[in-house]
Amino acid sequence: MSLNCNEINRVLQELDIQGYFIQDIIQPGYDTLALYTYGNGNAKTVLICTAQNSCRINETRRKIVKNDKPLRFMEFLRSHIKGAKIEKIEQIDLMRIIRMDLAHGDELYTMYIRLWSSAANIIICDRQNKILDTMFRRPAKGEITGGTFSIPEPDPAKSQRVFPVREFEEYKEYSYNQRVDLWYSEHAETLSREALLAQAEKWYVSTKSKMQAALNRLIQKQKDFENSEQLKHQGDLILSYGYLIKPDSKFLECEDYTTGKTVQILIDPEKSAHENAAIYYENYKKAQSGSQSIVHDIELSKKQLEKLEKKYTEIVNEPNPVKIEQLLRKDTTPKQQKKKSHPGLDYTVDGWYILVGRDANENDELLRHHVKGSDLWLHTRDFPGGYVFIKARKDKTVPLEILLDAANLAVYYSKARNSGKTDLYYTYVKYLRRAKDGPKGLVLPTHEKNLCITPDKARLDKLESLKLEQED
């Protein structure tokens, strides 16, 4: 339930910030604003919340946590009214619209704070009520830059209603502003610690369930790979007893010379014994390759689960509901909705920035829009795969360790992943030219140098761990 008109008047009367100056402005969330004011030797932080069913204005003594990324409206307010003097602040009639007149040098502004649960907003106008900017832009209502803010006519029917002032008795030892702040921090539908923790628990349980299921699938796959020797053995049996294959039969029945037992091996009746054996050998080779890379994937999944546990513990132990709301909003954003400034992956190691393309589309996009001629390019020789770029730093030469990090990434994201010792070549982006009429992303390097490495699993694990830490 939002503050009613009489509660707003009581808050404003006690707040008494007429003549104060706005020293700073913080917008911790899309629907919350904090004005740091100072006057008469006192500092007061005014919290304004426009969340549905929680609309209010009050002084707060809680720390207001900054948003990770500065929000548009906050930046506008800082450029226009930071340092402004509050000449007057009052509620217009009993309409739950607060008018705050501001003077910033020769510039005069009016801030309208509309605390309606269904249509709350904060609107900055000049003294002719021409809209300069709003917390929420609503074109259908004309609440956009350049529009005109119209104060609605008072409703006589509503003016006859009695709106009792809640006393919030459980906090009676505090000032009325503090009572409002404490009550909403515990009971509001938004910015309530209990409600946010319930939301966090729901997110945590759902996310953990999905991550644990993915880990279990990897572990099961690892167990399947452990039986890969059986595939090779079955291929050997097909070659040894190929002469027993009956026409149109889907099975080869023979004696396993290692156990002495009769076994049946599934085969393709349209293929020869050598062709069927080749299929088993190929599956064996894939299983061997997979068993080596899946260990890394399992370790990465376990680290992601540890990261989830750490984040949830941080949320549960955080006393400030504003901070909880920020942590929750950041972590519950679906991965596919998070905007990336570039395709592929990125790593920051000792101040060096490494970009990794994993397929032709990402390689091409990185080449076209995200690297420059002085950046270093790496790619496996004789194997298709991703491009890796080391972004140049002024007056710096790429250290060997960074070169080896990038080389290991290039091998890992290529068909050479499980080939052991691998050759790569590297050169500056300015020495790459596109292959005429070639497939997307294909380039022909010149001035290239050769680099031969044996993939280093420990180095890759360290890079992934570093990446996880940086994402925290």
Side-chain angles (χ1 to χ4, degrees), residues 95-319:
M95 292 191 291
R96 289 183 294 156
I97 300 175
I98 298 169
R99 173 174 179 150
M100 185 187 296
D101 289 336
L102 304 166
H104 192 270
D106 295 331
E107 300 293 331
L108 301 176
Y109 302 101
T110 299
M111 176 188 288
Y112 290 100
I113 305 167
R114 188 173 62 212
L115 299 178
W116 298 355
S117 284
S118 58
N121 209 349
I122 300 176
I123 302 165
I124 300 294
C125 303
D126 61 17
R127 288 298 170 86
Q128 286 73 47
N129 280 353
K130 181 180 178 181
I131 298 174
L132 304 177
D133 206 351
T134 64
M135 174 177 270
F136 303 108
R137 291 172 173 170
R138 297 186 173 117
K141 294 186 176 183
E143 293 177 2
I144 55 174
T145 302
T148 301
F149 180 70
S150 300
I151 300 171
E153 292 293 328
D155 186 345
K158 288 186 178 182
S159 64
Q160 301 301 316
R161 291 177 58 188
V162 176
F163 296 95
V165 175
R166 291 171 291 170
E167 293 296 336
F168 308 111
E169 290 292 339
E170 60 265 50
Y171 311 110
K172 60 183 179 181
E173 68 269 28
Y174 298 100
S175 69
Y176 192 74
N177 273 262
Q178 286 178 279
R179 290 183 221 171
V180 170
D181 194 45
L182 290 167
W183 190 89
Y184 277 97
S185 68
E186 295 182 13
H187 300 92
E189 292 183 16
T190 58
L191 291 187
S192 157
R193 189 172 185 275
E194 290 184 9
L196 289 169
L197 287 179
Q199 185 182 348
E201 183 181 10
K202 183 178 179 181
W203 157 76
Y204 165 73
V205 170
S206 174
T207 305
K208 183 177 180 180
S209 175
K210 292 176 183 176
M211 293 174 71
Q212 188 64 56
L215 176 59
N216 292 341
R217 286 194 295 270
L218 288 172
I219 293 173
Q220 182 58 51
K221 200 171 182 180
Q222 185 184 40
K223 290 179 180 178
D224 294 340
F225 285 155
E226 289 173 356
N227 299 321
S228 61
E229 288 295 333
Q230 184 65 19
L231 293 171
K232 182 177 180 296
H233 182 57
Q234 288 173 321
D236 292 340
L237 289 174
I238 292 173
L239 287 181
S240 299
Y241 296 104
Y243 62 90
L244 295 178
I245 296 177
K246 298 177 182 179
D248 300 325
S249 176
K250 294 183 179 180
F251 294 93
L252 165 64
E253 187 173 297
C254 63
E255 180 182 324
D256 187 335
Y257 48 73
T258 60
T259 63
K261 295 181 180 179
T262 300
V263 296
Q264 283 189 331
I265 303 172
L266 183 66
I267 60 172
D268 184 345
E270 297 183 0
K271 297 184 184 298
S272 66
H274 281 83
E275 288 173 331
N276 275 291
I279 293 173
Y280 278 88
Y281 290 144
E282 182 63 27
N283 289 335
Y284 163 73
K285 185 178 178 182
K286 289 180 180 178
Q288 285 287 300
S289 299
S291 64
Q292 295 172 21
S293 61
I294 205 167
V295 173
H296 175 264
D297 294 337
I298 288 174
E299 289 179 2
L300 184 59
S301 291
K302 288 180 177 179
K303 287 176 182 177
Q304 289 172 335
L305 270 169
E306 290 174 5
K307 178 184 174 184
L308 174 68
E309 295 288 349
K310 181 181 176 183
K311 276 293 180 187
Y312 182 59
T313 301
E314 182 183 359
I315 289 173
V316 170
N317 293 332
E318 176 56 55

Side-chain angles (χ1 to χ4, degrees), residues 354-470:
I354 302 172
L355 292 172
V356 181
R358 295 164 294 183
D359 55 37
N361 289 326
E362 291 184 353
N363 291 343
D364 187 65
E365 179 68 15
L366 288 172
L367 269 172
R368 288 179 181 274
H369 304 293
H370 301 280
V371 295
K372 297 180 179 179
S374 56
D375 299 333
L376 207 59
W377 168 87
L378 295 91
H379 187 252
T380 51
R381 191 184 291 272
D382 303 324
F383 286 95
Y387 291 170
V388 176
F389 301 92
I390 304 174
K391 297 292 291 180
R393 296 173 64 184
K394 189 175 181 180
D395 299 327
K396 298 282 186 180
T397 301
V398 177
L400 178 60
E401 287 299 307
I402 300 301
L403 189 63
L404 291 175
D405 286 342
N408 273 272
L409 289 169
V411 173
Y412 186 78
Y413 290 102
S414 76
K415 294 293 185 180
R417 177 185 293 190
N418 301 300
S419 299
K421 187 175 289 187
T422 306
D423 282 325
L424 304 96
Y425 40 21
Y426 64 97
T427 189
Y428 291 107
V429 171
K430 63 185 176 182
Y431 295 132
L432 302 177
R433 63 181 180 86
R434 297 184 182 280
K436 187 176 181 181
D437 300 325
K440 179 182 283 190
L442 181 63
V443 293
L444 301 175
T446 58
H447 297 77
E448 70 271 22
K449 295 181 180 179
N450 194 69
L451 180 64
C452 183
I453 68 162
T454 298
D456 185 344
K457 181 180 178 299
R459 188 179 290 271
L460 287 169
D461 289 345
K462 182 179 177 181
L463 286 169
E464 290 300 333
S465 298
L466 185 62
K467 185 173 179 63
L468 287 173
E469 290 174 8
Q470 291 168 351

